[in-house]
Amino acid sequence: MEPRKRGQLIHLLHQAQTQEGYISAEAIAAIARKLKISEGEVFGVVTFYKGFSLKPQGKHKVTLCMGTACHVRGAPLILDELERTLQIPAGETTPDGLFTLETVNCVGACALGPIVIVDGEYHGQVKPREVKNLLVKVDENLDRLKEQ
Amino acid sequence: MKITNIEKLKEKVINSRDKTKTWVTVCGGTGCHAYGCMKVVEAFQEEIKKKNLVDTVGVRTTGCHGFCERGPLVVIQPEGIFYQRVGVDDVPAIVEETVVNKKIVEKLLYRDPQTKQAIIHEQDVPFYSKQKRIIFGNNGLIDPTDIRDYIAVDGYQALAKVLFEMTADEVIKEIKKSGLRGRGGAGFLTGLKWEICRRESAPIKYLICNADEGDPGAYMDRSLLEGNPHSVIEGMIIGAYAIGATEGFIYVRMEYPLAVKNITIAIEQARKFGLLGESILGSEFSFELHVFKGAGAFVSGEETSLMASIEGRRAFPRQKPPFPAQKGLWGYPTNINNVETWANVPLIINKGADWYSKIGTKSSKGTKIFSLVGKINNTGLVEVPMGISLREIIYEIGGGIKDNKKFKAVQTGGPSGGCIPAEMLDLPIDFDTLTKAGSMMGSGGMIVMDEDTCMVDVARYFLQFTQEESCGKCVPCRLGTRQLYEILTRITKGQGEPEDLKRLKDLAKTVKTGSLCGLGQTAPNPVLTTLKYFRHEYEAHIFRHECPALSCKDLIIYYIEPEKCVGCLLCLKNCPVGAISGERKQVHVIDQELCVKCGACLDVCPPKVRAVSKYTGKKKQQILNKEKKARRR
Ligand SMILES: Cc1cc2nc3c(=O)[nH]c(=O)nc-3n(C[C@H](O)[C@H](O)[C@H](O)COP(=O)(O)O)c2cc1C
Ligand code: SF4
Ligand code: SF4
Ligand code: FES
Ligand code: FES
């Protein structure tokens, strides 16, 4: 069963990420020890998969679907608007740690595209001009952030 | 409770149920979730309690019914009364009128947009009536978290038949005879694949269900796992028996939390019932099944890289042969099939290969579930017999194009596929006709595009996708997709050169031939098909700086027609960058330097006024020149 030990790697990384919100250096070290592989190997796997993040995530998570169905229904315009409002490119977290913006490819709710998921809540048929309200609703600090 | 006789158990399940009971079934698929269906479920439960109906009325949360466009969906069983767009506020009326008084709540019925007629029963809705839902149909009937629901609709009967009445060779023969081809993309004959794996002699063999579903815009695999997980499990146990595998994995992409949850519950229940684990149903056959959650890499859907991923490594594809059937997981023979392929297996065993192979075309048997999405009226999952025409799917089932726009193309096969133009709408679709058209069946994504979709932009979109998802192992794939993407981006910005058309073609060829895995080999398809069928759009961008679909941001302007503008301030208030100026009741003007082309102004301008237009090419230039002159004055 020894060669199969390493098969736990991705599972352990998921666990670490669920607990801490990201994959910390300590988590990498602990997992490497547990599976008896080098930290470099764990790191290589973490960076290969988009599902793992090496950086702490913001308080609120904003996810935009960029799948094909959402794309043809105007997701790029929503992305522009999200990036403009949050003043960060997709994949980043606002400097104050409030919002992380990320894109995914199809969450399987194509009938409602374009889709924005804010802290696990799905918003369908989003229009660019509704973006700001969606964000302000979860955190009033957004307005302040913009005025600074 | 370990069971040994599935037929008896079915009887028991059915007899234990009150046949006079009314069931309120609410779709709990991801689409309906997003519409807030769980609140509707709670409201039903409360209302039923309040009215003391708990003994005679049950609430059942099911998987996706397919007609996601009209969610949240509620079907009252056994009558099959179909309500759509149901909100929490509608719940008391449904309970009072339909459940208690057996009357219809008119306003929640689906209305045929053409005939304007209200339709009462689910099966009469055109979206459903033209489908052939032999795989997907049970989704609406069962609670995926209760194995007894599956057993009540003949679940695990095929498994019992296989274990006690058929040899492994007979199972393989039956699957071969059915003509079933893999639903994961390439369409390889399933029975043949099993046979190759069976013939390998090895102490251990593995089985995998590929539920990575990477095609962005396809979600049938997810809906099967979410809504009818036991059909996939049953198919896998049958496959394991045929091949001689003792352990299996279901590799689910991480973006599908509900599917992971439901399949995990289903495996636990199957184990409890003695349908997984040691000596299944009291036979000599044993099989274990695990769920493996992916980590967000498109390439991990490719079979060899998927296995690397399960082994805890980076998901790099490798050279074939050896094929997984020869050397797979940890070096042992492994058979890998797609979710929908597995779900077909119990049906074939139950109904027989002869019955099954009557459905479909000469080379492609059975049905296929497509995810019909994009600019279509009835977005959803549709299951149709192979050989049906695109026109039937898009117009008869899909109800045509949204907002009465003109159909332009349909994209099938995801990032590996291509765009099929209007001239080919009558193409009977199966694995081979789609490939011949330059596209692919793929996993069943079907994205409908209308006159507002720019085909160069679509090609650019897919190349951006493959370029990001290339694992980087092969130079032509890594650099070639990047270059294709850069050229396409340039063209959509109006900076294309006449030589680009040839460059695209040559590069496409290099990438196709110089790549190891299917990702690279098929990545150029979106470019090649759009070049073939929509060359005029490329030419318009390159030679006239014009985007005929008025979609490419750098090639269009938004413009307020002075003679139409009523000065209502709406657009001005909605512009995110303050690019619009104007006083109440006076003509508003867009500052083109400031405008970021978000489209909000066009969106909010009242339908009666419609003062905002988009322009491209010559007309755009004329307007800009005019404005420049006016400013100088
Ligand atoms: C880049 C790439 C991605 C793939 N993604 C998937 C996928 O998400 N789901 C799937 O079932 N097959 C996918 N495949 C096909 C698999 O490699 C494999 O052929 C399939 O799972 C076999 O199952 P089938 O015979 O039942 O179709 C992909 C192939 C390639 C090259
Ligand atoms: S073709 Fe592309 S994705 Fe496939 S192995 Fe080569 S580099 Fe990786
Ligand atoms: S397109 Fe958007 S940015 Fe441009 S004027 Fe209209 S509302 Fe303003
Ligand atoms: S493409 Fe966005 S949900 Fe499917
Ligand atoms: S999710 Fe409810 S019909 Fe598809």
Side-chain angles (χ1 to χ4, degrees):
Chain A
M1 274 301 157
E2 205 46 30
R4 283 191 55 172
K5 196 162 181 160
R6 188 173 171 155
Q8 299 168 35
L9 177 53
I10 288 178
H11 176 65
L12 291 173
L13 288 170
H14 274 307
Q15 263 183 350
Q17 178 149 302
T18 312
Q19 270 160 24
E20 297 186 82
Y22 73 111
I23 310 281
S24 62
E26 294 77 40
I28 291 184
I31 292 172
R33 261 197 317 277
K34 184 163 179 189
L35 300 182
K36 298 198 174 74
I37 51 179
S38 75
E39 286 182 27
E41 276 182 274
V42 178
F43 186 78
V45 169
V46 172
T47 50
F48 184 91
Y49 295 96
K50 281 201 307 271
F52 299 128
S53 165
L54 288 163
K55 280 185 285 185
Q57 302 289 293
K59 187 170 152 208
H60 301 291
K61 191 157 153 190
V62 182
T63 310
L64 169 69
C65 177
M66 291 292 274
T68 322
C70 289
H71 180 87
V72 302
R73 286 195 185 179
L77 294 177
I78 309 291
L79 180 63
D80 283 352
E81 202 56 30
L82 281 168
E83 292 184 333
R84 188 163 42 242
T85 315
L86 293 173
Q87 300 172 4
I88 45 166
E92 299 282 320
T93 301
T94 49
D96 59 4
L98 272 184
F99 287 94
T100 298
L101 174 62
E102 59 172 36
T103 60
V104 291
N105 292 310
C106 195
V107 293
C110 315
L112 286 81
I115 301 259
V116 178
I117 308 172
V118 185
D119 290 338
E121 196 177 326
Y122 289 66
H123 301 273
Q125 280 149 10
V126 175
K127 299 213 162 89
R129 62 192 156 90
E130 296 164 355
V131 162
K132 199 172 153 204
N133 271 343
L134 278 184
L135 300 177
V136 173
K137 250 200 327 217
V138 285
D139 210 312
E140 285 151 17
N141 290 324
L142 184 76
D143 261 344
R144 237 187 312 148
L145 173 95
K146 272 199 69 183
E147 279 153 22
Q148 279 163 14
Chain B
M1 177 186 57
K2 300 248 185 231
I3 45 165
T4 50
N5 192 322
I6 200 81
E7 189 61 49
K8 270 216 189 96
L9 180 70
K10 179 187 166 191
E11 252 170 57
K12 217 171 111 194
V13 169
I14 290 181
N15 289 337
S16 72
R17 291 187 167 169
D18 184 354
K19 275 171 221 72
T20 59
K21 206 166 171 174
T22 301
W23 285 95
V24 178
T25 52
V26 185
C27 173
T30 296
C32 288
H33 255 276
Y35 286 115
C37 71
M38 287 327 275
K39 293 207 183 89
V40 175
V41 172
E42 279 164 30
F44 270 116
Q45 280 161 344
E46 261 165 47
E47 188 70 15
I48 287 166
K49 230 187 264 158
K50 212 168 82 192
K51 290 213 144 86
N52 275 327
L53 295 168
V54 179
D55 292 334
T56 50
V57 186
V59 182
R60 180 180 277 140
T61 315
T62 68
C64 173
H65 292 207
F67 202 3
C68 311
E69 179 76 36
R70 307 304 304 180
L73 302 183
V74 171
V75 183
I76 310 295
Q77 300 286 18
E79 294 87 351
I81 298 167
F82 176 75
Y83 291 138
Q84 41 99 55
R85 293 273 158 96
V86 177
V88 172
D89 299 343
D90 301 319
V91 168
I94 295 179
V95 173
E96 183 60 32
E97 293 299 317
T98 310
V99 176
V100 178
N101 296 331
K102 304 284 165 208
K103 279 200 246 135
I104 303 293
V105 183
E106 198 79 23
K107 70 164 198 191
L108 296 174
L109 291 178
Y110 175 74
R111 258 173 210 283
D112 188 322
Q114 255 120 48
T115 63
K116 302 278 180 269
Q117 235 175 14
I119 297 167
I120 296 174
H121 295 104
E122 187 175 28
Q123 68 271 19
D124 300 328
V125 175
F127 176 81
Y128 289 119
S129 60
K130 302 210 165 95
Q131 297 187 41
K132 192 168 179 66
R133 307 190 346 128
I134 54 178
I135 303 293
F136 203 54
N138 279 341
N139 260 38
L141 298 176
I142 59 182
D143 174 350
T145 61
D146 187 348
I147 188 170
R148 289 169 307 178
D149 278 12
Y150 181 62
I151 289 170
V153 294
D154 291 341
Y156 290 108
Q157 305 247 352
L159 175 64
K161 181 170 168 188
V162 163
L163 289 179
F164 299 111
E165 293 168 31
M166 294 172 87
T167 64
D169 284 325
E170 279 167 352
V171 176
I172 289 179
K173 210 168 132 201
E174 194 71 7
I175 300 297
K176 270 172 90 175
K177 199 167 139 204
S178 74
L180 174 65
R181 293 170 72 173
R183 303 298 194 237
F188 195 80
L189 284 163
T190 305
L192 189 62
K193 198 191 250 184
W194 290 12
E195 189 172 53
I196 296 168
C197 195
R198 169 156 189 85
R199 285 223 201 96
E200 288 292 315
S201 63
I204 300 176
K205 285 180 193 171
Y206 293 112
L207 210 66
I208 296 173
C209 170
N210 189 342
D212 200 44
E213 198 160 59
D215 175 354
Y219 62 107
M220 50 265 147
D221 291 350
R222 197 210 56 196
S223 293
L224 275 171
L225 279 188
E226 269 178 22
N228 195 354
H230 287 287
S231 66
V232 179
I233 296 175
E234 186 180 6
M236 288 187 80
I237 311 173
I238 294 171
Y241 173 79
I243 290 154
T246 48
E247 200 178 347
F249 296 85
I250 301 181
Y251 189 100
V252 192
R253 72 192 289 236
M254 65 177 290
E255 289 86 346
Y256 288 176
L258 191 58
V260 171
K261 186 174 147 218
N262 285 2
I263 191 76
T264 309
I265 294 173
I267 288 176
E268 270 165 35
Q269 292 187 348
R271 202 174 285 138
K272 240 185 238 152
F273 274 63
L275 293 156
L276 278 173
E278 295 285 315
S279 74
I280 293 173
L281 287 174
S283 73
E284 281 167 19
F285 181 67
S286 305
F287 180 63
E288 241 340 305
L289 198 49
H290 317 278
V291 176
F292 192 99
K293 198 164 93 177
F298 173 69
V299 76
S300 61
E302 195 279 334
E303 51 194 24
T304 60
S305 61
L306 186 149
M307 293 186 297
S309 184
I310 293 182
E311 291 171 1
R313 296 187 280 115
R314 290 177 290 177
F316 286 123
R318 65 158 172 78
Q319 197 91 44
K320 290 184 278 191
F323 291 96
Q326 301 157 318
K327 250 184 177 1
L329 262 186
W330 296 291
Y332 293 110
T334 303
N335 181 80
I336 173 165
N337 281 117
N338 163 265
V339 175
E340 194 183 334
T341 315
W342 288 120
N344 269 274
V345 171
L347 186 77
I348 294 170
I349 298 293
N350 273 333
K351 300 248 182 173
D354 289 330
W355 174 85
Y356 186 87
S357 60
K358 282 203 190 84
I359 308 165
T361 63
K362 196 155 171 256
S363 69
S364 309
K365 300 298 183 192
T367 59
K368 176 79 194 87
I369 308 175
F370 288 100
S371 131
L372 186 60
V373 298
K375 305 284 190 70
I376 184 105
N377 275 319
N378 301 338
T379 308
L381 294 178
V382 304
E383 182 179 353
V384 289
M386 298 270 192
I388 192 174
S389 73
L390 282 168
R391 189 184 301 281
E392 284 168 281
I393 297 184
I394 293 170
Y395 286 95
E396 293 179 20
I397 298 172
I401 311 305
K402 256 195 165 29
D403 305 327
N404 285 320
K405 298 262 180 175
K406 215 172 124 210
F407 170 88
K408 186 184 274 183
V410 57
Q411 207 279 348
T412 70
S416 307
C419 293
I420 299 168
E423 301 89 85
M424 294 174 89
L425 270 175
D426 290 308
L427 190 76
I429 41 177
D430 67 13
F431 284 105
D432 307 311
T433 52
L434 284 175
T435 308
K436 220 184 270 160
S439 185
M440 255 182 70
M441 174 77 82
S443 56
M446 195 172 265
I447 292 104
V448 178
M449 298 164 182
D450 67 4
E451 54 193 288
D452 297 338
T453 317
C454 168
M455 299 317 282
V456 186
D457 177 64
V458 167
R460 190 197 60 83
Y461 166 80
F462 279 113
L463 264 295
Q464 175 174 18
F465 180 89
T466 38
Q467 174 264 127
E468 275 171 14
E469 297 291 344
S470 163
C471 76
K473 192 169 170 172
C474 318
V475 177
C477 174
R478 184 178 69 229
L479 300 183
T481 53
R482 158 142 292 222
Q483 258 172 358
L484 284 169
Y485 168 64
E486 278 164 6
I487 296 175
L488 290 165
T489 305
R490 202 158 74 205
I491 298 176
T492 56
K493 283 186 189 298
Q495 296 156 2
E497 299 161 3
E499 299 76 37
D500 281 343
L501 290 172
K502 188 169 178 305
R503 277 190 202 122
L504 285 173
K505 247 189 158 154
D506 292 345
L507 254 170
K509 207 184 262 161
T510 314
V511 176
K512 254 179 176 302
T513 50
S515 296
L516 175 69
C517 87
L519 190 150
Q521 287 159 4
T522 59
N525 284 351
V527 187
L528 290 172
T529 49
T530 47
L531 264 177
K532 182 167 163 194
Y533 299 123
F534 300 94
R535 194 183 176 87
H536 51 281
E537 292 201 20
Y538 281 86
E539 288 167 350
H541 283 75
I542 295 175
F543 299 111
R544 300 194 296 281
H545 302 282
E546 190 181 303
C547 175
L550 293 165
S551 151
C552 292
K553 264 198 317 198
D554 294 291
L555 297 182
I556 59 163
I557 52 162
Y558 286 81
Y559 177 67
I560 300 174
E561 315 278 357
E563 64 278 13
K564 285 190 189 160
C565 175
V566 293
C568 68
L569 297 172
L570 258 181
C571 59
L572 186 148
K573 282 186 196 144
N574 276 285
C575 177
V577 291
I580 303 179
S581 56
E583 301 289 327
R584 178 173 287 282
K585 303 229 163 121
Q586 276 173 20
V587 171
H588 291 16
V589 182
I590 296 173
D591 182 339
Q592 300 297 345
E593 301 277 310
L594 290 178
C595 171
V596 292
K597 294 166 193 169
C598 74
C601 48
L602 191 142
D603 208 37
V604 295
C605 187
K608 277 200 206 114
V609 183
R610 283 178 180 273
V612 185
S613 315
K614 292 195 269 186
Y615 288 107
T616 183
K618 228 197 214 143
K619 194 82 205 275
K620 167 188 155 195
Q621 214 45 54
Q622 280 169 359
I623 290 172
L624 289 180
N625 290 344
K626 208 166 80 192
E627 286 193 345
K628 216 189 257 162
K629 238 195 243 153
R631 237 178 294 139
R632 248 188 258 129
R633 249 190 268 128

